[in-house]
Amino acid sequence: MYYWTEDEARSYLPRLRGLLALLLASAQARQRARGNGHATVAGATSPSGPDTDAADTGTDGADTGTDAADTPTPGLSPAEALAEIDAKGIVLRDVDAGIVDFPSLHPSGREVHLCWRRGEDDLGFWHLPDAGFAARRPLPLPPEL
């Protein structure tokens, strides 16, 4: 298993942002295709169109939760993006939220996960592997674990 340093993980974030944007765009397109344009809007009454009081689906320029800098990586398929993330040993926790963990080693030798979420400017959190996102703590790592 590969263990990331904080600097390596930070350096990889621009590439990771693009890969995650590609995966998110693919997931959103798949979701729209499943509905085939029918009844995908809350309150839609028929295939001829949505109810005029229905909520925006986020497909007409509304906020989709991605940052302006999160441009999909060109020339890759979603399968290739997933394969790259997997090959790097990065743990993809949630595509929609863009939550990932970089396995790392504390100076004591104990494994920790450097945790990043789409929308965060920088790598700023860590947690123990079995603790998960809810237990993440701000970097830097404490001197002792």
Side-chain angles (χ1 to χ4, degrees):
M1 169 182 269
Y2 182 77
Y3 292 108
W4 293 77
T5 66
E6 287 181 41
D7 287 341
E8 289 171 334
R10 281 190 174 98
S11 294
Y12 192 71
L13 286 180
R15 173 73 176 177
L16 184 60
R17 284 183 178 103
L19 297 174
L20 290 175
L22 173 69
L23 293 173
L24 181 61
S26 175
Q28 289 171 338
R30 196 170 43 254
Q31 183 65 30
R32 286 190 304 274
R34 263 190 227 132
N36 195 24
H38 305 293
T40 57
V41 178
T45 57
S46 74
S48 62
D51 182 351
T52 56
D53 294 329
D56 188 354
T57 64
T59 59
D60 296 307
D63 183 12
T64 60
T66 60
D67 295 332
D70 290 351
T71 304
T73 301
L76 284 181
S77 71
E80 291 168 321
L82 280 172
E84 180 175 327
I85 290 169
D86 186 55
K88 298 277 187 184
I90 298 168
V91 181
L92 178 58
R93 298 286 181 196
D94 186 324
V95 172
D96 293 331
I99 298 172
V100 298
D101 290 338
F102 294 88
S104 185
L105 281 181
H106 184 272
S108 68
R110 189 165 181 190
E111 184 176 335
V112 297
H113 283 186
L114 305 174
C115 184
W116 181 79
R117 179 176 170 178
R118 189 184 69 244
E120 294 175 346
D121 291 333
D122 192 15
L123 184 69
F125 298 92
W126 71 276
H127 60 82
L128 295 174
D130 58 346
F133 183 84
R136 69 187 197 150
R137 298 177 185 141
L139 288 170
L141 292 169
E144 295 182 21
L145 277 181

